[in-house]
Amino acid sequence: WVSSPASTAPRSGSATPSKNAWGYESEEASTLSPPPTKWSTTTSSGAKKPSAKGRAGKVAASTMKPQSARSIKGIVPATYTPLTSSGDLNLPVIDVYADYLVENGVAGVFVNGTTAEGVKLSVTERKQVVESWVHALNGRLPILVHVGSESLKDAQELAIHARAFGVSAIAVMAPTVFKPRSAEHMVQYVLAVASVVPNLPMYFYHIPPLTGSTFDIEEFISSAERSIPSFAGLKYSDADLSAFLACKAFNEGSLHLMYGKDEQMLAALAMGAEAFVGSTYSLFPRVYHNVMKAFKAGRFADAQKEQLRSQQAVKCLLRHGGVIPAGRALL
């Protein structure tokens, strides 16, 4: 299950691939500019940062009041999961990853989603990742955690754990093997998870291209708002912007929607989107900040230029193995 760039073998006459902090060998990683200046496990004074190794599972449950997820506006990186070359969690990297994201003005983090390959991690590993993010951010940003699973019991266990560590909200996506046959069946699944953490905001992670679910999303949110007291809104990762607008207008805008197609940010802004969750917000956040600033200032040509930059970058990632493996190698 370990993702890796499409090819890590050196080409004839080329430089030997270098291994980055994420445990991946990539020739490109040695030539691309590193994201943060503090992308290391030491402080500016040279002292070693506290290690996350062995910390997960022993971190005390949080007593801090979670930051509100419903108030999030701006970009929320769907975080990558750092792994060693042997496929084990590389938890110390999360400390510097968190600092980097805070320094780049993100509005929160979305942990253990598809970018993180959360459904491929064990329940224990998913808990360790959450604990490491809670420790690393120390209340500086809201943390949203995907707890969805093919196993309802696992999803409930992960939800209870997330609440214990003071996250701001949880999310679930539709099961992908035994798919819900209707919007109402999906509501019942989400309700079963939400009911074990009744005061924790619940988002539905709508990503039909990945899950293959075909139920009507407008029907789902109408039923979910009636049936699930903690239902907060959607992580909407679909290209159908007409349905997004309908969901945003539902019940006079009572739901909090976070749009999840990075390369369509500008179009979503025109539909009223204010919060965005995506993979590439970790990689080049300033581009997306520029899209939003230009749009809000009415400089639409500048906004289009910045959006095009992001689209070209996404295409580059796809040419080098995909957004997840290539993005991890870049980090």
Coordinates of all heavy atoms in Angstrom, one line a residue, residues 189-265:
Y189 N -26.1 5.3 7.8 CA -24.7 5.0 8.1 C -24.0 6.1 8.8 O -23.3 5.9 9.8 CB -23.9 4.6 6.8 CG -22.4 4.4 7.0 CD1 -21.9 3.2 7.3 CD2 -21.5 5.5 6.8 CE1 -20.5 3.0 7.5 CE2 -20.2 5.3 6.9 CZ -19.7 4.1 7.3 OH -18.3 4.0 7.5
V190 N -24.2 7.3 8.3 CA -23.6 8.5 8.9 C -24.1 8.7 10.3 O -23.4 9.0 11.2 CB -23.8 9.7 8.0 CG1 -23.2 11.0 8.7 CG2 -23.2 9.6 6.6
L191 N -25.4 8.5 10.5 CA -26.0 8.6 11.8 C -25.5 7.6 12.8 O -25.2 8.0 13.9 CB -27.6 8.4 11.7 CG -28.4 8.4 13.0 CD1 -28.2 9.7 13.7 CD2 -29.8 8.1 12.7
A192 N -25.2 6.4 12.3 CA -24.6 5.4 13.2 C -23.3 5.8 13.7 O -22.9 5.5 14.9 CB -24.6 4.1 12.5
V193 N -22.5 6.5 12.9 CA -21.2 7.0 13.4 C -21.3 8.2 14.2 O -20.7 8.3 15.3 CB -20.3 7.3 12.2 CG1 -18.9 7.8 12.6 CG2 -20.1 6.1 11.3
A194 N -22.2 9.2 13.8 CA -22.3 10.4 14.5 C -22.9 10.2 15.9 O -22.6 10.9 16.9 CB -23.2 11.4 13.7
S195 N -23.8 9.1 16.1 CA -24.5 8.9 17.3 C -23.5 8.6 18.5 O -23.9 8.8 19.7 CB -25.5 7.8 17.2 OG -24.9 6.6 16.9
V196 N -22.3 8.1 18.2 CA -21.4 7.8 19.3 C -20.6 9.0 19.8 O -19.9 8.9 20.8 CB -20.4 6.6 18.9 CG1 -21.2 5.4 18.5 CG2 -19.5 7.0 17.8
V197 N -20.7 10.1 19.0 CA -20.0 11.3 19.4 C -21.0 12.5 19.1 O -20.8 13.3 18.2 CB -18.7 11.5 18.6 CG1 -17.6 10.6 19.2 CG2 -18.9 11.3 17.1
P198 N -22.1 12.5 19.8 CA -23.2 13.4 19.5 C -23.0 14.9 19.4 O -23.7 15.6 18.7 CB -24.3 13.0 20.5 CG -23.5 12.4 21.7 CD -22.4 11.7 21.0
N199 N -21.9 15.3 20.1 CA -21.7 16.8 20.1 C -20.5 17.2 19.2 O -20.1 18.4 19.2 CB -21.3 17.2 21.6 CG -22.5 17.0 22.5 OD1 -23.6 17.3 22.1 ND2 -22.2 16.5 23.7
L200 N -20.0 16.3 18.4 CA -18.9 16.6 17.5 C -19.5 16.8 16.1 O -20.1 15.9 15.6 CB -17.9 15.4 17.5 CG -16.6 15.6 16.8 CD1 -15.8 16.8 17.4 CD2 -15.8 14.3 16.8
P201 N -19.2 17.9 15.5 CA -19.7 18.2 14.1 C -19.3 17.1 13.1 O -18.2 16.6 13.1 CB -19.1 19.5 13.8 CG -18.8 20.2 15.1 CD -18.5 19.1 16.0
M202 N -20.3 16.7 12.3 CA -20.1 15.6 11.4 C -20.3 16.2 9.9 O -21.2 16.8 9.6 CB -21.1 14.5 11.6 CG -21.3 13.5 10.5 SD -19.8 12.5 10.2 CE -20.0 11.3 11.5
Y203 N -19.3 15.9 9.1 CA -19.4 16.2 7.7 C -19.5 14.9 6.9 O -18.9 13.9 7.2 CB -18.1 17.0 7.2 CG -18.0 18.4 7.7 CD1 -17.6 18.7 9.0 CD2 -18.4 19.5 6.9 CE1 -17.6 20.0 9.5 CE2 -18.3 20.8 7.4 CZ -17.9 21.0 8.7 OH -17.8 22.3 9.1
F204 N -20.2 15.0 5.8 CA -20.2 13.9 4.8 C -19.2 14.2 3.7 O -19.2 15.3 3.1 CB -21.6 13.7 4.2 CG -21.6 12.6 3.2 CD1 -21.2 11.3 3.5 CD2 -21.9 12.9 1.8 CE1 -21.2 10.3 2.6 CE2 -21.9 11.9 0.9 CZ -21.6 10.6 1.2
Y205 N -18.3 13.3 3.5 CA -17.3 13.5 2.4 C -17.8 12.9 1.1 O -17.9 11.7 0.9 CB -16.1 12.7 2.9 CG -14.8 12.8 2.0 CD1 -13.6 12.2 2.4 CD2 -14.8 13.5 0.8 CE1 -12.5 12.2 1.7 CE2 -13.7 13.6 0.1 CZ -12.5 12.9 0.5 OH -11.4 13.0 -0.3
H206 N -18.3 13.9 0.3 CA -19.0 13.5 -1.0 C -17.9 13.4 -2.1 O -17.4 14.5 -2.6 CB -20.0 14.6 -1.3 CG -20.8 14.3 -2.5 ND1 -21.5 13.2 -2.8 CD2 -21.0 15.1 -3.7 CE1 -22.0 13.2 -4.0 NE2 -21.8 14.4 -4.5
I207 N -17.6 12.2 -2.5 CA -16.6 12.0 -3.5 C -17.0 10.9 -4.4 O -16.3 9.8 -4.5 CB -15.2 11.9 -2.9 CG1 -14.1 11.8 -4.0 CG2 -15.1 10.7 -1.9 CD1 -12.7 11.9 -3.5
P208 N -18.1 11.0 -5.2 CA -18.6 9.9 -6.0 C -17.7 9.4 -7.0 O -17.8 8.2 -7.3 CB -19.9 10.6 -6.6 CG -19.7 12.0 -6.5 CD -18.9 12.2 -5.2
P209 N -16.7 10.2 -7.6 CA -15.8 9.5 -8.6 C -15.0 8.4 -7.9 O -14.5 7.5 -8.6 CB -14.9 10.7 -9.0 CG -15.8 11.9 -8.8 CD -16.5 11.6 -7.6
L210 N -14.7 8.5 -6.6 CA -13.9 7.5 -5.9 C -14.8 6.4 -5.3 O -14.5 5.2 -5.4 CB -13.1 8.2 -4.8 CG -12.1 7.2 -4.1 CD1 -11.1 6.7 -5.0 CD2 -11.5 8.0 -2.9
T211 N -15.9 6.8 -4.7 CA -16.7 5.8 -4.0 C -17.7 5.0 -4.9 O -18.1 3.9 -4.6 CB -17.6 6.4 -2.9 OG1 -18.5 7.4 -3.5 CG2 -16.7 7.1 -1.9
G212 N -18.0 5.7 -6.0 CA -19.0 5.1 -7.0 C -20.4 5.2 -6.6 O -21.3 4.6 -7.2
S213 N -20.7 5.9 -5.5 CA -22.1 6.1 -5.0 C -22.8 7.0 -6.0 O -22.3 8.0 -6.5 CB -22.1 6.7 -3.6 OG -21.5 5.8 -2.7
T214 N -24.1 6.7 -6.2 CA -24.9 7.4 -7.2 C -26.1 8.1 -6.6 O -27.0 8.6 -7.4 CB -25.3 6.5 -8.4 OG1 -26.0 5.4 -7.8 CG2 -24.1 6.0 -9.1
F215 N -26.3 8.1 -5.3 CA -27.5 8.7 -4.7 C -27.5 10.2 -4.9 O -26.4 10.8 -5.1 CB -27.7 8.3 -3.3 CG -26.5 8.7 -2.4 CD1 -26.3 10.0 -1.9 CD2 -25.5 7.7 -2.1 CE1 -25.3 10.3 -1.1 CE2 -24.5 8.1 -1.3 CZ -24.3 9.4 -0.8
D216 N -28.6 10.8 -4.8 CA -28.8 12.2 -5.0 C -28.3 13.0 -3.8 O -28.8 12.8 -2.7 CB -30.3 12.5 -5.3 CG -30.5 14.0 -5.6 OD1 -30.6 14.8 -4.7 OD2 -30.5 14.3 -6.8
I217 N -27.3 13.8 -4.0 CA -26.7 14.5 -2.8 C -27.7 15.5 -2.2 O -27.6 15.7 -1.0 CB -25.4 15.2 -3.2 CG1 -24.6 15.7 -2.0 CG2 -25.6 16.3 -4.2 CD1 -24.2 14.7 -1.0
E218 N -28.5 16.1 -3.0 CA -29.5 17.1 -2.4 C -30.5 16.3 -1.5 O -30.9 16.8 -0.5 CB -30.2 17.8 -3.5 CG -29.3 18.7 -4.3 CD -30.0 19.4 -5.5 OE1 -31.0 20.1 -5.2 OE2 -29.6 19.2 -6.6
E219 N -30.9 15.1 -2.0 CA -31.8 14.3 -1.1 C -31.1 13.9 0.1 O -31.7 13.9 1.2 CB -32.2 13.1 -1.9 CG -33.2 12.1 -1.2 CD -33.5 10.9 -2.0 OE1 -33.3 10.9 -3.2 OE2 -34.1 9.9 -1.4
F220 N -29.8 13.6 0.0 CA -29.0 13.2 1.2 C -29.0 14.3 2.3 O -29.3 14.1 3.4 CB -27.6 12.8 0.8 CG -26.7 12.6 2.0 CD1 -26.7 11.4 2.7 CD2 -25.9 13.7 2.5 CE1 -25.9 11.3 3.8 CE2 -25.1 13.5 3.6 CZ -25.1 12.3 4.3
I221 N -28.6 15.5 1.8 CA -28.5 16.6 2.8 C -29.8 17.0 3.5 O -29.9 17.3 4.7 CB -27.8 17.9 2.3 CG1 -28.6 18.5 1.1 CG2 -26.4 17.5 1.8 CD1 -28.0 19.8 0.7
S222 N -30.9 16.9 2.7 CA -32.2 17.2 3.3 C -32.6 16.2 4.4 O -33.0 16.6 5.4 CB -33.3 17.1 2.1 OG -34.6 17.4 2.7
S223 N -32.3 14.9 4.1 CA -32.6 13.9 5.1 C -31.6 14.0 6.3 O -32.0 13.8 7.5 CB -32.5 12.5 4.5 OG -32.7 11.5 5.5
A224 N -30.3 14.2 6.0 CA -29.3 14.3 7.0 C -29.5 15.4 8.0 O -29.4 15.2 9.2 CB -27.9 14.4 6.4
E225 N -30.0 16.6 7.5 CA -30.2 17.7 8.4 C -31.3 17.4 9.4 O -31.3 17.8 10.5 CB -30.4 19.0 7.6 CG -30.4 20.2 8.5 CD -30.5 21.5 7.8 OE1 -31.4 21.7 7.1 OE2 -29.5 22.3 7.9
R226 N -32.3 16.6 8.9 CA -33.5 16.3 9.7 C -33.1 15.2 10.7 O -33.6 15.2 11.9 CB -34.6 15.8 8.9 CG -35.3 16.8 8.0 CD -36.6 16.3 7.5 NE -36.5 15.0 6.8 CZ -36.3 14.9 5.5 NH1 -36.1 15.9 4.8 NH2 -36.2 13.7 5.0
S227 N -32.2 14.3 10.3 CA -32.0 13.1 11.1 C -30.8 13.1 12.0 O -30.7 12.3 13.0 CB -31.9 11.8 10.2 OG -33.0 11.8 9.3
I228 N -29.8 13.9 11.6 CA -28.5 13.9 12.4 C -28.2 15.2 13.0 O -27.9 16.2 12.4 CB -27.3 13.6 11.4 CG1 -27.6 12.3 10.6 CG2 -26.0 13.4 12.1 CD1 -26.6 12.0 9.5
P229 N -28.4 15.3 14.3 CA -28.3 16.6 15.0 C -26.9 17.3 14.8 O -26.9 18.5 14.8 CB -28.5 16.3 16.5 CG -29.4 15.0 16.5 CD -28.9 14.2 15.2
S230 N -25.9 16.5 14.7 CA -24.5 17.1 14.6 C -24.1 17.3 13.1 O -23.0 17.7 12.9 CB -23.5 16.2 15.3 OG -23.5 14.9 14.7
F231 N -25.0 17.1 12.2 CA -24.6 17.2 10.8 C -24.3 18.7 10.5 O -25.1 19.6 10.6 CB -25.8 16.7 9.9 CG -25.4 16.8 8.4 CD1 -24.4 16.1 7.9 CD2 -26.2 17.6 7.5 CE1 -24.1 16.1 6.5 CE2 -25.9 17.6 6.2 CZ -24.9 16.9 5.7
A232 N -23.0 18.9 10.0 CA -22.5 20.2 9.8 C -22.5 20.6 8.3 O -22.6 21.8 8.0 CB -21.1 20.4 10.4
G233 N -22.2 19.7 7.4 CA -22.1 20.0 6.0 C -21.4 19.0 5.2 O -21.4 17.8 5.6
L234 N -20.8 19.4 4.1 CA -20.1 18.5 3.2 C -18.7 18.9 2.9 O -18.3 20.1 2.9 CB -20.9 18.6 1.8 CG -22.4 18.2 1.8 CD1 -22.9 18.5 0.4 CD2 -22.6 16.8 2.2
K235 N -17.9 17.9 2.7 CA -16.6 18.1 2.0 C -17.0 17.6 0.6 O -17.1 16.4 0.3 CB -15.5 17.2 2.5 CG -14.2 17.3 1.8 CD -13.1 16.4 2.3 CE -11.8 16.5 1.5 NZ -11.9 16.2 0.1
Y236 N -17.2 18.6 -0.3 CA -17.8 18.3 -1.6 C -16.7 18.2 -2.7 O -16.1 19.1 -3.2 CB -18.7 19.5 -2.0 CG -19.5 19.2 -3.2 CD1 -20.9 18.8 -3.1 CD2 -19.0 19.4 -4.5 CE1 -21.6 18.6 -4.2 CE2 -19.8 19.2 -5.6 CZ -21.1 18.8 -5.5 OH -21.9 18.6 -6.6
S237 N -16.3 16.9 -3.0 CA -15.2 16.6 -3.9 C -15.8 16.0 -5.2 O -15.5 14.9 -5.6 CB -14.2 15.7 -3.3 OG -13.6 16.3 -2.2
D238 N -16.6 16.8 -5.9 CA -17.2 16.4 -7.2 C -17.1 17.6 -8.1 O -17.2 18.8 -7.7 CB -18.6 16.0 -6.9 CG -19.2 15.3 -8.2 OD1 -18.5 14.8 -9.1 OD2 -20.5 15.2 -8.2
A239 N -17.1 17.3 -9.4 CA -17.0 18.4 -10.4 C -18.3 19.0 -10.7 O -18.4 20.1 -11.4 CB -16.4 17.9 -11.7
D240 N -19.4 18.5 -10.2 CA -20.8 19.0 -10.5 C -21.0 20.2 -9.7 O -21.5 20.2 -8.6 CB -21.8 17.9 -10.2 CG -23.2 18.3 -10.6 OD1 -23.4 19.5 -11.0 OD2 -24.1 17.4 -10.6
L241 N -20.8 21.4 -10.3 CA -20.9 22.6 -9.6 C -22.4 23.1 -9.5 O -22.7 23.9 -8.6 CB -20.1 23.7 -10.2 CG -18.6 23.6 -9.9 CD1 -17.8 24.5 -10.8 CD2 -18.3 24.0 -8.5
S242 N -23.2 22.6 -10.3 CA -24.6 22.9 -10.2 C -25.2 22.3 -9.0 O -26.0 23.0 -8.3 CB -25.4 22.5 -11.5 OG -25.3 21.1 -11.6
A243 N -24.8 21.1 -8.7 CA -25.3 20.4 -7.5 C -24.7 21.1 -6.2 O -25.3 21.2 -5.2 CB -25.0 19.0 -7.5
F244 N -23.4 21.5 -6.4 CA -22.8 22.2 -5.3 C -23.5 23.5 -4.9 O -23.8 23.8 -3.7 CB -21.3 22.6 -5.6 CG -20.6 23.5 -4.6 CD1 -20.1 22.9 -3.5 CD2 -20.6 24.9 -4.8 CE1 -19.4 23.7 -2.5 CE2 -20.0 25.7 -3.8 CZ -19.4 25.1 -2.7
L245 N -23.9 24.3 -5.9 CA -24.7 25.5 -5.7 C -26.0 25.2 -5.0 O -26.4 25.9 -4.1 CB -24.9 26.2 -7.0 CG -25.6 27.6 -6.9 CD1 -24.9 28.6 -6.0 CD2 -25.8 28.2 -8.3
A246 N -26.7 24.1 -5.4 CA -27.9 23.8 -4.8 C -27.8 23.4 -3.4 O -28.6 23.8 -2.5 CB -28.6 22.6 -5.6
C247 N -26.7 22.7 -3.1 CA -26.4 22.3 -1.7 C -26.1 23.5 -0.9 O -26.5 23.6 0.3 CB -25.2 21.3 -1.6 SG -25.6 19.7 -2.3
K248 N -25.4 24.5 -1.4 CA -25.0 25.7 -0.7 C -26.3 26.5 -0.4 O -26.4 27.2 0.7 CB -24.0 26.5 -1.5 CG -23.4 27.7 -0.7 CD -22.4 28.4 -1.4 CE -21.7 29.4 -0.5 NZ -22.6 30.3 0.2
A249 N -27.2 26.5 -1.3 CA -28.4 27.3 -1.1 C -29.5 26.6 -0.2 O -30.4 27.2 0.2 CB -29.1 27.6 -2.5
F250 N -29.2 25.3 0.1 CA -30.2 24.5 0.8 C -30.5 25.2 2.2 O -29.6 25.6 2.9 CB -29.6 23.1 1.1 CG -30.5 22.3 2.0 CD1 -31.7 21.7 1.6 CD2 -30.1 22.1 3.3 CE1 -32.5 21.0 2.4 CE2 -30.8 21.3 4.2 CZ -32.0 20.8 3.7
N251 N -31.7 25.3 2.5 CA -32.2 25.8 3.8 C -31.5 27.2 4.1 O -31.0 27.4 5.2 CB -31.9 24.8 4.9 CG -32.7 25.1 6.2 OD1 -33.7 25.9 6.2 ND2 -32.3 24.5 7.3
E252 N -31.5 28.0 3.1 CA -30.9 29.4 3.3 C -29.4 29.4 3.7 O -29.0 30.2 4.5 CB -31.7 30.2 4.3 CG -33.2 30.4 3.8 CD -34.0 31.3 4.7 OE1 -33.5 31.5 5.9 OE2 -35.1 31.7 4.4
G253 N -28.7 28.4 3.2 CA -27.3 28.4 3.5 C -26.9 27.9 4.9 O -25.9 28.3 5.4
S254 N -27.7 27.0 5.4 CA -27.5 26.5 6.8 C -26.3 25.6 6.9 O -25.8 25.4 8.0 CB -28.7 25.8 7.4 OG -29.0 24.7 6.6
L255 N -25.8 25.0 5.8 CA -24.7 24.0 5.9 C -23.4 24.6 5.6 O -23.3 25.6 4.8 CB -25.0 22.8 4.9 CG -26.3 22.0 5.2 CD1 -26.4 20.9 4.1 CD2 -26.2 21.4 6.6
H256 N -22.4 24.1 6.1 CA -21.0 24.5 5.8 C -20.4 23.6 4.8 O -20.3 22.4 5.0 CB -20.1 24.5 7.1 CG -18.7 25.0 6.9 ND1 -17.6 24.3 7.3 CD2 -18.3 26.1 6.4 CE1 -16.5 24.9 7.0 NE2 -16.9 26.1 6.5
L257 N -20.1 24.2 3.6 CA -19.6 23.4 2.5 C -18.1 23.7 2.3 O -17.7 24.9 2.2 CB -20.4 23.6 1.2 CG -21.6 22.7 1.0 CD1 -22.6 22.8 2.1 CD2 -22.2 23.0 -0.4
M258 N -17.3 22.7 2.1 CA -15.9 22.8 1.7 C -15.7 22.2 0.4 O -15.9 20.9 0.2 CB -15.0 22.2 2.8 CG -15.2 22.8 4.2 SD -14.2 22.0 5.5 CE -15.1 20.4 5.7
Y259 N -15.2 22.9 -0.6 CA -15.1 22.4 -1.9 C -13.8 21.7 -2.1 O -12.7 22.1 -1.6 CB -15.2 23.5 -3.0 CG -15.3 23.0 -4.4 CD1 -16.5 22.3 -4.8 CD2 -14.3 23.1 -5.3 CE1 -16.6 21.8 -6.0 CE2 -14.4 22.6 -6.6 CZ -15.6 21.9 -6.9 OH -15.7 21.4 -8.2
G260 N -13.8 20.5 -2.8 CA -12.6 19.7 -2.8 C -12.0 19.4 -4.1 O -11.3 18.3 -4.3
K261 N -12.2 20.2 -5.2 CA -11.5 20.0 -6.4 C -10.6 21.2 -6.6 O -11.0 22.3 -7.1 CB -12.5 19.9 -7.6 CG -13.5 18.8 -7.5 CD -12.8 17.5 -8.0 CE -12.6 17.4 -9.5 NZ -12.1 16.1 -9.9
D262 N -9.3 21.0 -6.3 CA -8.3 22.1 -6.3 C -8.3 22.9 -7.6 O -8.2 24.1 -7.6 CB -6.9 21.5 -6.0 CG -6.8 20.7 -4.8 OD1 -7.9 20.3 -4.3 OD2 -5.7 20.4 -4.3
E263 N -8.3 22.1 -8.7 CA -8.1 22.7 -10.0 C -9.4 23.5 -10.5 O -9.4 24.1 -11.5 CB -7.7 21.7 -11.1 CG -8.6 20.6 -11.3 CD -8.3 19.4 -10.3 OE1 -8.0 19.6 -9.2 OE2 -8.4 18.2 -10.8
Q264 N -10.5 23.4 -9.7 CA -11.7 24.2 -10.0 C -12.0 25.2 -8.9 O -13.2 25.6 -8.8 CB -12.9 23.2 -10.2 CG -12.8 22.3 -11.4 CD -14.1 21.5 -11.6 OE1 -14.1 20.7 -12.5 NE2 -15.1 21.8 -10.9
M265 N -11.0 25.6 -8.2 CA -11.3 26.6 -7.1 C -12.0 27.9 -7.6 O -12.9 28.3 -7.0 CB -10.0 27.0 -6.4 CG -10.1 28.2 -5.4 SD -8.6 28.7 -4.7 CE -8.5 27.7 -3.2

